[in-house]
Amino acid sequence: MSVPLRIILVSTYEMGRQPFGLASPAAWLREAGFEVRCVDLSIDAFAEGTLREADLVAFYVPMHTATRMAVRALSDVRRVNPSAHICFFGLYAAENADYLRGLGVDTILGGEFEASLVRLAGWLATTRSTVTPPPAFPIISLERQTFHIPDRRDLPPLARYAHLALPNGSQRLVGYVEATRGCKHLCRHCPIVPVYNGRFRIIGRDIVLADIRQQVAAGAQHITFGDPDFFNGIGHALPLVAALHAEFPDVTYDVTIKVEHLRRHVAHLATLKDTGCAFITSAVESFDSHILDIFDKQHTPEDFATVLAECRRIGLPLVPTFVAFTPWTTLDGYRAFLREIARLGLVDSIAPVQYTIRLLIPPGSRLLEMPAVQAIIGPLDEAKLSYEWRNPDPRVEALHHAVSGMVQRMTRLPRREVFQRVWERAFDTDVQLPPLPSEMGVPYITEPWFC
């Protein structure tokens, strides 16, 4: 009797969430008859005995941090089990395919990866003892898949992941789902664009709701929708949250939506509020119109102010994120960025790490199409998954280094105190922080990283 193919699916980091990127392919592979173990290295270490017996070890790499951590973990896999077939799958696998192949990764799967993982496992199961070459799996697949209900049976419990912190000091267990993948927009700095190129894929409402049900049964009191933009398919999104609220009226949720979409669909913000949305995350990126144009964000600072005012009118917190340091950031520009945060009363809404985020220019980025960008970048640093660049003003480089270190050291301090310290370092003069509005209670996920 032949030994079944043994598969380990590995997540290294998914922003404090129970990894959908393991639960979804685990369902596909198990339904195809394969033996699967899921390992979340942000919570648990490899069990060397299990790792030693694996035939296929597949790392999920949806983001920059996760990929760099997976590369470090790859050496452990090779040391314990040098004969295992290694796969990297997810958004950053495709973008860094050349680098990963150079490290000895056997198969790269980007885009829609579940069906390809099943095909890879099927090939391995039938050819392990032969020299048959692997099939030519496309590095990027955008095939339309019929999704399965994610299988979360061997993932760590939700209590071991990030929580929702509420203004009253209580916390809620957080579940995580995806209702769509990809994005129909083409923001130049976005890592989704080189893979999906303006396309997105819908996960069926019945599948999403079934996944929510199993997480609520496991204790989830809040759901994060991890879609790159929840309003890419607004006709899918609004009935989904209406159904969620009808079935679980006490379960809250959060979503990520572009300023452009919030402005266009401002009338639907009340629907989000009424169905239990606790907050909206939006990639504002900058208050500088020139940088917004370079990024091709398709919104203006005025658009953001309009949306912020409407969200506040209906009592729906809006949480902006930023790329604070770019090659075009000036010292005066960074100071203006802080002034605008203070003026708009956003200090309580912003995770301090947002004051430190530095632009990444990965392989395939649309920014590379711009002659102005080609003129300022250095070589590709494969290990950092980004092209090198330095701000032309050494004071801005020094500021980034200083602010990054400060924020890392002050993770337990209140947001207002961190902002005060960042302000003092940025101005480096007697410019006083203006009085801030009375403190605003804003719910937030307790894992602050965003890249």
Side-chain angles (χ1 to χ4, degrees), residues 322 324 350-358 407-408 418 448-451:
F322 299 95
I350 297 173
V353 70
Q354 296 300 321
Y355 308 136
T356 75
I357 298 295
R358 183 181 178 92
V407 167
Q408 288 179 22
V418 178
W449 299 99
F450 198 75
C451 63

Side-chain angles (χ1 to χ4, degrees), residues 57 60 68 87 100 149 158 173 180 191 218-219 239 242 266 307 309 322-323 338 353 371 425 441:
V57 180
Y60 177 53
R68 295 190 69 180
C87 172
L100 296 174
I149 300 170
L158 296 177
L173 292 185
T180 61
V266 69
V307 169
F322 299 95
V323 180
L338 297 180
V353 70
R425 175 59 182 83

Side-chain angles (χ1 to χ4, degrees), residues 52 101 109 144 201 242 271 280 286 411 429:
R52 190 174 293 111
R101 288 197 188 283
L109 301 175
R144 295 184 183 276
R201 296 289 180 258
T271 302
I280 299 170
S286 179
T411 55
T429 67

Side-chain angles (χ1 to χ4, degrees), residues 227-246:
D227 310 41
D229 193 307
F230 195 61
F231 274 4
N232 266 323
I234 193 169
H236 176 54
L238 294 182
L240 180 55
V241 294
L244 164 60
H245 186 64

Side-chain angles (χ1 to χ4, degrees), residues 86-223:
I86 305 295
C87 172
F88 273 48
F89 66 99
L91 195 67
Y92 267 71
E95 293 181 3
N96 298 283
D98 291 342
Y99 170 57
L100 296 174
R101 288 197 188 283
L103 296 175
V105 175
D106 300 297
T107 299
I108 309 289
L109 301 175
E112 304 300 286
F113 48 76
E114 286 90 348
S116 294
L117 276 169
V118 172
R119 287 192 285 269
L120 172 62
W123 171 76
L124 287 169
T126 58
T127 63
R128 278 180 294 175
S129 60
T130 75
V131 293
T132 306
F137 292 105
I139 290 179
I140 297 175
S141 171
L142 297 182
E143 65 179 300
R144 295 184 183 276
Q145 302 183 136
T146 301
F147 286 89
H148 301 210
I149 300 170
D151 187 339
R152 301 176 178 272
R153 74 181 74 170
D154 60 343
L155 289 171
L158 296 177
R160 297 183 69 188
Y161 290 92
H163 290 56
L164 176 72
L166 297 172
N168 64 8
S170 65
Q171 294 193 344
R172 289 186 159 212
L173 292 185
V174 177
Y176 175 86
V177 298
E178 294 179 2
T180 61
R181 283 195 187 145
C183 185
K184 64 183 181 182
H185 295 274
L186 298 170
C187 302
R188 289 193 182 97
H189 65 305
C190 178
I192 298 169
V193 174
V195 175
Y196 282 89
N197 195 28
R199 286 162 286 189
F200 74 107
R201 296 289 180 258
I202 286 176
I203 300 173
R205 192 184 314 162
D206 57 334
I207 298 297
V208 181
L209 289 171
D211 194 16
I212 290 172
R213 287 187 196 105
Q214 67 180 347
Q215 292 182 79
V216 171
Q221 302 155 300
H222 176 89
I223 298 295

